[in-house]
Amino acid sequence: MSKTRRGVVRAPDGTEIAYRTHGDGEPVVLVHGTGLSQVVWRGLGYVDALADYQVVTLDLRGHGRSGRPPSPSDYTAARFASDVVAVLDALAIPRTHYLGYSLGARIGFTLLDVRPDRLTSFVSLGGTHRSTAGGPAEVFFPDFDEALRRGGMAGFVEGWGRHRGTPLDPQTSLAFRANDPAAMRAILAAIEHEPGVPAARLAHVTTPTLLLAGGRDQARLDASREAARVISNARVVELEGHDHATTLSDRERVLGHVAPFLRAAARASGPAGADARNPRSENLSSP
């Protein structure tokens, strides 16, 4: 089992971001989805399966052991992306492979757009570059905010299970119940107003990109196909039989696609790829 090192870094707005590194080697950062935390990557076996890499995980703001600012304006994609960059800076990692699930993938699209110099490659798992207005109701259930307001995280988890028609798996349920309901309401309110990255802005991207989405996760699958049409070095993989909630848990199938992709991207990457010189790189320290 790889050695784990823990740390905390302050984002540009002062929010504390907790992170961990596992092992040594070429870096790959794993970024979780809404309501989860970095522990999901070890719990589902991703950390151990990527033992040949320096695996970096973090708790996104509002999650896990990271700070929980109160306002929806604290949870924009740019704020989340600046948290990732702050962790990379703290670890002196100039470039990294990036794998993001759901919200983590959405953040990755922001980095792909404005900080491509920091990415050796990008993997989106159940992600979208499009506006996420209406996303929380679709991914979770229509009355999610009322459930959080009245019943906290327990009410949210129970309402989600009823809407799905089946209880959540124990690991997902435990991760969601550990969240602060006020922070979760702020995060989901911000997601409702997230404009996304217009497809035309992705046309400049040359970063090797792999877009995975479940066959029963139609919104993310359609968005992945659109992104692949405009990103010059991208391909889509449909994970048949999976919806948005089950995509992450099929580690062997996911990594069956991701592992060879990472190896190929590393071989193709020079010490300073074309994206590192892209004039569109922007400062993420502002909201």
Side-chain angles (χ1 to χ4, degrees):
M1 185 174 292
S2 60
K3 181 179 178 181
T4 299
R5 298 173 289 272
R6 294 171 170 82
V8 175
V9 64
R10 286 191 180 275
D13 68 351
T15 301
E16 290 191 340
I17 305 299
Y19 65 86
R20 300 178 187 177
T21 66
H22 316 262
D24 299 295
E26 191 173 5
V28 54
V29 61
L30 309 180
V31 185
H32 63 80
T34 305
L36 301 175
S37 73
Q38 62 182 316
V39 300
V40 73
W41 298 111
R42 184 176 285 284
L44 292 177
Y46 283 82
V47 170
D48 289 340
L50 293 168
D52 291 338
Y53 294 86
Q54 179 190 9
V55 179
V56 179
T57 61
L58 66 147
D59 288 330
L60 292 172
R61 58 177 56 214
H63 299 77
R65 296 182 179 275
S66 289
R68 300 175 178 183
S71 171
S73 65
D74 295 312
Y75 296 100
T76 63
R79 294 281 198 194
F80 283 123
S82 70
D83 298 343
V84 176
V85 171
V87 170
L88 296 180
D89 288 346
L91 294 170
I93 295 175
R95 298 181 66 185
T96 181
H97 299 288
Y98 182 106
L99 189 161
Y101 167 65
S102 192
L103 174 59
R106 173 65 194 84
I107 297 162
F109 276 109
T110 294
L111 289 169
L112 199 65
D113 177 33
V114 301
R115 290 306 308 266
D117 56 301
R118 304 307 295 265
L119 302 184
T120 305
S121 70
F122 171 53
V123 180
S124 167
L125 181 58
T128 180
H129 63 286
R130 295 172 174 172
S131 167
T132 48
E138 182 222 341
V139 170
F140 300 115
F141 57 103
D143 296 328
F144 67 89
D145 188 68
E146 182 66 10
L148 283 167
R149 188 182 69 82
R150 294 175 64 89
M153 293 311 307
F156 179 91
V157 169
E158 291 163 6
W160 189 13
R162 285 195 301 271
H163 182 72
R164 294 177 72 234
T166 180
L168 299 179
D169 65 88
Q171 183 149 340
T172 301
S173 177
L174 184 64
F176 270 83
R177 288 175 185 272
N179 284 294
D180 174 68
M184 189 57 51
R185 291 185 73 193
I187 291 165
L188 295 175
I191 290 173
E192 283 283 359
H193 295 92
E194 180 57 51
V197 179
R201 284 181 64 93
L202 298 175
H204 73 281
V205 173
T206 59
T207 305
T209 298
L210 178 63
L211 306 157
L212 299 99
R216 295 193 289 127
D217 187 11
Q218 198 62 49
R220 263 61 59 183
L221 184 58
D222 289 346
S224 295
R225 288 170 173 160
E226 180 184 46
R229 287 194 292 269
V230 296
I231 297 173
S232 62
N233 194 8
R235 66 184 180 93
V236 178
V237 173
E238 178 181 345
L239 301 174
E240 295 183 1
H242 282 291
D243 60 18
H244 188 71
T246 63
T247 304
L248 182 65
S249 60
D250 196 347
R251 182 200 74 242
E252 290 189 5
R253 192 171 178 189
V254 169
L255 290 183
H257 296 286
V258 170
F261 168 77
L262 295 182
R263 291 193 294 268
R267 288 195 299 269
S269 175
D275 278 343
R277 300 185 297 275
N278 195 302
R280 299 254 345 262
S281 293
E282 298 173 10
N283 191 333
L284 282 167
S285 62
S286 59

